[in-house]
Amino acid sequence: MARRDGRVARSNGRAAVQRISSTRTFARVAPHVIPVLDRAVHRLSGGRTMLSTRMLPGVVLTSTGARSGEPRRTPLACMPEPERGSWLLIGSNFGKREHPGWTANLRRHPEARIVYRGRDIPVRARLLEGEERAEAWRELVRFWPPYEVYQARIDRRIRVFRLEERAGD
């Protein structure tokens, strides 16, 4: 039953989106649609929001291309860690076999920038390993259960990065 504040309806909507986003069809279609829509909404809102942030928090990552050296802007879901002043990024690539390109960029050039809630923030990325990754992974799966589905259907280990704010340029 829906409450006046809409919590049940929103919770049911979130569960439906999680089920849909766990499908192979979504994994085939979403990489071609969601980033395009996110870039457009981000631009039109003056950097304040993206379409995908209706379900998950998001950032626009500006990294340096691993091979090209050129700036690369990528809208991504994130898990903010306000107690740490950091953000987790997960290289799920919607459960596709290959790592997303932005993860190679961060491995090669960890100094980057994000736009989060309209703020331009210089960050340094760290690829998480060992127990630190395991702890972050547990939190990410609690935060968005489809990540576990993505990992189960691929052989590669999904990369998890922690972005930490750094002194401005």
Side-chain angles (χ1 to χ4, degrees):
M1 171 177 258
R3 293 173 26 177
R4 285 188 181 176
D5 63 9
R7 280 193 191 157
V8 171
R10 208 170 303 128
S11 174
N12 289 341
R14 184 177 172 98
V17 169
Q18 288 177 353
R19 279 192 304 277
I20 291 165
S21 69
S22 296
T23 67
R24 290 181 189 275
T25 300
F26 183 85
R28 280 191 303 274
V29 174
H32 304 288
V33 176
I34 292 175
V36 172
L37 293 174
D38 273 346
R39 282 186 191 99
V41 171
H42 190 258
R43 187 177 51 253
L44 293 170
S45 71
R48 290 184 305 279
T49 192
M50 294 183 292
L51 186 62
S52 63
T53 60
R54 300 297 296 155
M55 277 288 131
L56 286 168
V59 299
V60 174
L61 171 71
T62 302
S63 58
T64 302
R67 289 183 290 207
S68 70
E70 297 294 320
R72 301 290 183 220
R73 290 176 47 89
T74 311
L76 298 166
C78 71
M79 188 179 103
E81 298 180 300
E83 70 286 350
R84 291 177 178 255
S86 60
W87 299 262
L88 290 176
L89 295 183
I90 184 162
S92 69
N93 207 13
F94 300 97
K96 293 172 74 178
R97 276 186 252 163
E98 63 280 346
H99 291 289
W102 63 264
T103 66
N105 296 347
L106 288 182
R107 290 180 75 189
R108 180 92 182 257
H109 304 285
E111 306 288 317
R113 301 187 82 75
I114 59 171
V115 176
Y116 178 69
R117 294 185 175 171
R119 283 184 50 224
D120 183 44
I121 305 167
V123 294
R124 179 166 183 83
R126 245 179 349 98
L127 179 62
L128 301 185
E129 299 290 346
E131 185 52 39
E132 185 180 24
R133 184 200 181 277
E135 181 182 321
W137 180 257
R138 286 188 295 273
E139 290 301 313
L140 284 161
V141 168
R142 262 195 295 279
F143 181 70
W144 192 250
Y147 290 144
E148 196 162 49
V149 174
Y150 297 164
Q151 183 62 80
R153 75 171 166 236
I154 56 177
D155 292 329
R156 71 176 173 88
R157 186 170 187 207
I158 292 175
R159 294 174 179 162
V160 177
F161 290 85
R162 178 166 282 129
L163 303 183
E164 296 165 327
E165 192 167 354
R166 61 182 168 84
D169 300 336

